PDB file of all heavy atoms in Angstrom:
ATOM      1  N   ALA A 175      49.581 156.598  60.002  1.00 98.00           N
ATOM      2  CA  ALA A 175      49.415 157.806  59.188  1.00 98.00           C
ATOM      3  C   ALA A 175      49.081 157.411  57.728  1.00 98.00           C
ATOM      4  O   ALA A 175      48.238 158.039  57.067  1.00 98.00           O
ATOM      5  CB  ALA A 175      50.714 158.631  59.192  1.00 98.00           C
ATOM      6  N   GLY A 176      49.666 156.336  57.248  1.00 98.00           N
ATOM      7  CA  GLY A 176      49.351 155.875  55.900  1.00 98.00           C
ATOM      8  C   GLY A 176      47.902 155.393  55.791  1.00 98.00           C
ATOM      9  O   GLY A 176      47.292 155.599  54.787  1.00 98.00           O
ATOM     10  N   VAL A 177      47.381 154.815  56.836  1.00 98.00           N
ATOM     11  CA  VAL A 177      45.956 154.393  56.801  1.00 98.00           C
ATOM     12  C   VAL A 177      45.092 155.590  56.636  1.00 98.00           C
ATOM     13  O   VAL A 177      44.056 155.561  55.917  1.00 98.00           O
ATOM     14  CB  VAL A 177      45.632 153.623  58.113  1.00 98.00           C
ATOM     15  CG1 VAL A 177      44.096 153.539  58.283  1.00 98.00           C
ATOM     16  CG2 VAL A 177      46.291 152.247  58.097  1.00 98.00           C
ATOM     17  N   ILE A 178      45.426 156.700  57.287  1.00 98.00           N
ATOM     18  CA  ILE A 178      44.620 157.937  57.125  1.00 98.00           C
ATOM     19  C   ILE A 178      44.659 158.437  55.682  1.00 98.00           C
ATOM     20  O   ILE A 178      43.637 158.756  55.109  1.00 98.00           O
ATOM     21  CB  ILE A 178      45.165 159.027  58.086  1.00 98.00           C
ATOM     22  CG1 ILE A 178      44.842 158.637  59.526  1.00 98.00           C
ATOM     23  CG2 ILE A 178      44.483 160.391  57.782  1.00 98.00           C
ATOM     24  CD1 ILE A 178      45.452 159.564  60.601  1.00 98.00           C
ATOM     25  N   GLY A 179      45.868 158.416  55.080  1.00 98.00           N
ATOM     26  CA  GLY A 179      45.966 158.826  53.693  1.00 98.00           C
ATOM     27  C   GLY A 179      45.191 157.982  52.766  1.00 98.00           C
ATOM     28  O   GLY A 179      44.516 158.485  51.813  1.00 98.00           O
ATOM     29  N   MET A 180      45.249 156.668  52.976  1.00 98.00           N
ATOM     30  CA  MET A 180      44.512 155.725  52.132  1.00 98.00           C
ATOM     31  C   MET A 180      42.968 155.921  52.315  1.00 98.00           C
ATOM     32  O   MET A 180      42.214 155.866  51.337  1.00 98.00           O
ATOM     33  CB  MET A 180      44.849 154.287  52.438  1.00 98.00           C
ATOM     34  CG  MET A 180      46.226 153.866  51.987  1.00 98.00           C
ATOM     35  SD  MET A 180      46.445 152.032  51.901  1.00 98.00           S
ATOM     36  CE  MET A 180      46.037 151.540  53.546  1.00 98.00           C
ATOM     37  N   THR A 181      42.582 156.180  53.545  1.00 98.00           N
ATOM     38  CA  THR A 181      41.164 156.386  53.861  1.00 98.00           C
ATOM     39  C   THR A 181      40.625 157.564  53.084  1.00 98.00           C
ATOM     40  O   THR A 181      39.541 157.488  52.403  1.00 98.00           O
ATOM     41  CB  THR A 181      40.951 156.585  55.358  1.00 98.00           C
ATOM     42  OG1 THR A 181      41.287 155.382  56.050  1.00 98.00           O
ATOM     43  CG2 THR A 181      39.538 156.996  55.705  1.00 98.00           C
ATOM     44  N   LYS A 182      41.309 158.656  53.151  1.00 98.00           N
ATOM     45  CA  LYS A 182      40.852 159.895  52.459  1.00 98.00           C
ATOM     46  C   LYS A 182      40.850 159.729  50.964  1.00 98.00           C
ATOM     47  O   LYS A 182      39.946 160.206  50.240  1.00 98.00           O
ATOM     48  CB  LYS A 182      41.677 161.083  52.916  1.00 98.00           C
ATOM     49  CG  LYS A 182      41.446 161.475  54.385  1.00 98.00           C
ATOM     50  CD  LYS A 182      42.253 162.661  54.776  1.00 98.00           C
ATOM     51  CE  LYS A 182      41.943 163.052  56.210  1.00 98.00           C
ATOM     52  NZ  LYS A 182      40.587 163.623  56.370  1.00 98.00           N
ATOM     53  N   SER A 183      41.853 159.074  50.402  1.00 98.00           N
ATOM     54  CA  SER A 183      41.974 158.872  48.948  1.00 98.00           C
ATOM     55  C   SER A 183      40.882 157.932  48.461  1.00 98.00           C
ATOM     56  O   SER A 183      40.237 158.191  47.457  1.00 98.00           O
ATOM     57  CB  SER A 183      43.367 158.307  48.600  1.00 98.00           C
ATOM     58  OG  SER A 183      44.381 159.218  48.961  1.00 98.00           O
ATOM     59  N   LEU A 184      40.688 156.811  49.176  1.00 98.00           N
ATOM     60  CA  LEU A 184      39.691 155.815  48.717  1.00 98.00           C
ATOM     61  C   LEU A 184      38.279 156.393  48.870  1.00 98.00           C
ATOM     62  O   LEU A 184      37.394 156.095  48.058  1.00 98.00           O
ATOM     63  CB  LEU A 184      39.841 154.536  49.511  1.00 98.00           C
ATOM     64  CG  LEU A 184      38.969 153.349  48.963  1.00 98.00           C
ATOM     65  CD1 LEU A 184      39.318 153.002  47.533  1.00 98.00           C
ATOM     66  CD2 LEU A 184      39.134 152.107  49.862  1.00 98.00           C
ATOM     67  N   ALA A 185      38.052 157.199  49.914  1.00 98.00           N
ATOM     68  CA  ALA A 185      36.706 157.832  50.038  1.00 98.00           C
ATOM     69  C   ALA A 185      36.373 158.642  48.784  1.00 98.00           C
ATOM     70  O   ALA A 185      35.223 158.653  48.339  1.00 98.00           O
ATOM     71  CB  ALA A 185      36.722 158.717  51.283  1.00 98.00           C
ATOM     72  N   LYS A 186      37.357 159.344  48.230  1.00 98.00           N
ATOM     73  CA  LYS A 186      37.114 160.151  47.021  1.00 98.00           C
ATOM     74  C   LYS A 186      36.840 159.221  45.808  1.00 98.00           C
ATOM     75  O   LYS A 186      36.103 159.605  44.925  1.00 98.00           O
ATOM     76  CB  LYS A 186      38.310 161.061  46.774  1.00 98.00           C
ATOM     77  CG  LYS A 186      38.421 162.157  47.793  1.00 98.00           C
ATOM     78  CD  LYS A 186      39.552 163.107  47.519  1.00 98.00           C
ATOM     79  CE  LYS A 186      39.562 164.244  48.547  1.00 98.00           C
ATOM     80  NZ  LYS A 186      40.633 165.227  48.270  1.00 98.00           N
ATOM     81  N   GLU A 187      37.475 158.044  45.783  1.00 98.00           N
ATOM     82  CA  GLU A 187      37.282 157.134  44.637  1.00 98.00           C
ATOM     83  C   GLU A 187      35.895 156.481  44.694  1.00 98.00           C
ATOM     84  O   GLU A 187      35.295 156.200  43.657  1.00 98.00           O
ATOM     85  CB  GLU A 187      38.358 156.058  44.660  1.00 98.00           C
ATOM     86  CG  GLU A 187      39.767 156.621  44.379  1.00 98.00           C
ATOM     87  CD  GLU A 187      40.801 155.497  44.310  1.00 98.00           C
ATOM     88  OE1 GLU A 187      40.404 154.329  44.119  1.00 98.00           O
ATOM     89  OE2 GLU A 187      42.013 155.808  44.430  1.00 98.00           O
ATOM     90  N   LEU A 188      35.374 156.194  45.895  1.00 98.00           N
ATOM     91  CA  LEU A 188      34.176 155.319  46.013  1.00 98.00           C
ATOM     92  C   LEU A 188      32.909 156.012  46.430  1.00 98.00           C
ATOM     93  O   LEU A 188      31.857 155.392  46.442  1.00 98.00           O
ATOM     94  CB  LEU A 188      34.505 154.213  47.043  1.00 98.00           C
ATOM     95  CG  LEU A 188      35.650 153.286  46.734  1.00 98.00           C
ATOM     96  CD1 LEU A 188      35.807 152.198  47.794  1.00 98.00           C
ATOM     97  CD2 LEU A 188      35.535 152.622  45.341  1.00 98.00           C
ATOM     98  N   SER A 189      32.963 157.284  46.792  1.00 97.00           N
ATOM     99  CA  SER A 189      31.800 157.942  47.359  1.00 97.00           C
ATOM    100  C   SER A 189      30.604 157.966  46.448  1.00 97.00           C
ATOM    101  O   SER A 189      29.452 157.911  46.880  1.00 97.00           O
ATOM    102  CB  SER A 189      32.180 159.385  47.816  1.00 97.00           C
ATOM    103  OG  SER A 189      32.618 160.120  46.675  1.00 97.00           O
ATOM    104  N   SER A 190      30.811 158.022  45.135  1.00 97.00           N
ATOM    105  CA  SER A 190      29.700 158.077  44.198  1.00 97.00           C
ATOM    106  C   SER A 190      28.977 156.731  44.077  1.00 97.00           C
ATOM    107  O   SER A 190      27.882 156.650  43.499  1.00 97.00           O
ATOM    108  CB  SER A 190      30.154 158.509  42.816  1.00 97.00           C
ATOM    109  OG  SER A 190      31.026 157.514  42.222  1.00 97.00           O
ATOM    110  N   ARG A 191      29.558 155.631  44.621  1.00 97.00           N
ATOM    111  CA  ARG A 191      28.944 154.335  44.569  1.00 97.00           C
ATOM    112  C   ARG A 191      28.283 153.909  45.890  1.00 97.00           C
ATOM    113  O   ARG A 191      28.140 152.726  46.117  1.00 97.00           O
ATOM    114  CB  ARG A 191      30.014 153.286  44.145  1.00 97.00           C
ATOM    115  CG  ARG A 191      30.642 153.537  42.815  1.00 97.00           C
ATOM    116  CD  ARG A 191      29.631 153.502  41.661  1.00 97.00           C
ATOM    117  NE  ARG A 191      30.254 153.697  40.378  1.00 97.00           N
ATOM    118  CZ  ARG A 191      30.735 152.726  39.642  1.00 97.00           C
ATOM    119  NH1 ARG A 191      30.612 151.478  40.020  1.00 97.00           N
ATOM    120  NH2 ARG A 191      31.282 152.982  38.451  1.00 97.00           N
ATOM    121  N   ASN A 192      28.005 154.888  46.736  1.00 98.00           N
ATOM    122  CA  ASN A 192      27.339 154.595  48.023  1.00 98.00           C
ATOM    123  C   ASN A 192      28.214 153.740  48.941  1.00 98.00           C
ATOM    124  O   ASN A 192      27.742 152.887  49.679  1.00 98.00           O
ATOM    125  CB  ASN A 192      25.997 153.857  47.815  1.00 98.00           C
ATOM    126  CG  ASN A 192      25.087 153.895  49.034  1.00 98.00           C
ATOM    127  OD1 ASN A 192      25.203 154.816  49.879  1.00 98.00           O
ATOM    128  ND2 ASN A 192      24.246 152.927  49.189  1.00 98.00           N
ATOM    129  N   ILE A 193      29.526 153.995  48.846  1.00 98.00           N
ATOM    130  CA  ILE A 193      30.496 153.316  49.716  1.00 98.00           C
ATOM    131  C   ILE A 193      31.221 154.368  50.504  1.00 98.00           C
ATOM    132  O   ILE A 193      31.850 155.282  49.919  1.00 98.00           O
ATOM    133  CB  ILE A 193      31.494 152.495  48.913  1.00 98.00           C
ATOM    134  CG1 ILE A 193      30.775 151.428  48.029  1.00 98.00           C
ATOM    135  CG2 ILE A 193      32.521 151.823  49.800  1.00 98.00           C
ATOM    136  CD1 ILE A 193      31.688 150.752  47.002  1.00 98.00           C
ATOM    137  N   THR A 194      31.144 154.312  51.814  1.00 98.00           N
ATOM    138  CA  THR A 194      31.855 155.274  52.653  1.00 98.00           C
ATOM    139  C   THR A 194      33.139 154.628  53.192  1.00 98.00           C
ATOM    140  O   THR A 194      33.240 153.408  53.391  1.00 98.00           O
ATOM    141  CB  THR A 194      31.014 155.730  53.861  1.00 98.00           C
ATOM    142  OG1 THR A 194      30.705 154.631  54.678  1.00 98.00           O
ATOM    143  CG2 THR A 194      29.693 156.354  53.340  1.00 98.00           C
ATOM    144  N   VAL A 195      34.139 155.497  53.385  1.00 98.00           N
ATOM    145  CA  VAL A 195      35.443 154.999  53.881  1.00 98.00           C
ATOM    146  C   VAL A 195      35.901 155.997  54.988  1.00 98.00           C
ATOM    147  O   VAL A 195      36.124 157.155  54.742  1.00 98.00           O
ATOM    148  CB  VAL A 195      36.493 154.980  52.721  1.00 98.00           C
ATOM    149  CG1 VAL A 195      37.772 154.303  53.245  1.00 98.00           C
ATOM    150  CG2 VAL A 195      35.945 154.282  51.502  1.00 98.00           C
ATOM    151  N   ASN A 196      36.028 155.465  56.187  1.00 98.00           N
ATOM    152  CA  ASN A 196      36.410 156.285  57.320  1.00 98.00           C
ATOM    153  C   ASN A 196      37.450 155.565  58.183  1.00 98.00           C
ATOM    154  O   ASN A 196      37.728 154.373  57.982  1.00 98.00           O
ATOM    155  CB  ASN A 196      35.162 156.615  58.148  1.00 98.00           C
ATOM    156  CG  ASN A 196      34.206 157.548  57.433  1.00 98.00           C
ATOM    157  OD1 ASN A 196      34.500 158.718  57.229  1.00 98.00           O
ATOM    158  ND2 ASN A 196      33.074 156.993  56.995  1.00 98.00           N
ATOM    159  N   ALA A 197      37.979 156.299  59.103  1.00 98.00           N
ATOM    160  CA  ALA A 197      38.985 155.733  60.047  1.00 98.00           C
ATOM    161  C   ALA A 197      38.667 156.107  61.481  1.00 98.00           C
ATOM    162  O   ALA A 197      38.080 157.179  61.746  1.00 98.00           O
ATOM    163  CB  ALA A 197      40.398 156.160  59.680  1.00 98.00           C
ATOM    164  N   VAL A 198      38.997 155.223  62.394  1.00 98.00           N
ATOM    165  CA  VAL A 198      38.925 155.559  63.842  1.00 98.00           C
ATOM    166  C   VAL A 198      40.335 155.540  64.343  1.00 98.00           C
ATOM    167  O   VAL A 198      41.144 154.615  64.096  1.00 98.00           O
ATOM    168  CB  VAL A 198      38.061 154.506  64.586  1.00 98.00           C
ATOM    169  CG1 VAL A 198      38.163 154.694  66.079  1.00 98.00           C
ATOM    170  CG2 VAL A 198      36.605 154.594  64.106  1.00 98.00           C
ATOM    171  N   ALA A 199      40.659 156.552  65.161  1.00 98.00           N
ATOM    172  CA  ALA A 199      42.026 156.693  65.708  1.00 98.00           C
ATOM    173  C   ALA A 199      41.946 156.579  67.210  1.00 98.00           C
ATOM    174  O   ALA A 199      41.714 157.553  67.954  1.00 98.00           O
ATOM    175  CB  ALA A 199      42.657 158.039  65.316  1.00 98.00           C
TER     176      ALA A 199
END
Side-chain angles (χ1 to χ4, degrees):
V177 165
I178 292 173
M180 289 198 303
T181 293
K182 292 180 176 293
S183 298
L184 189 60
K186 292 182 176 182
E187 293 183 19
L188 300 182
S189 59
S190 65
R191 300 297 183 92
N192 197 28
I193 301 170
T194 64
V195 189
N196 292 289
V198 171

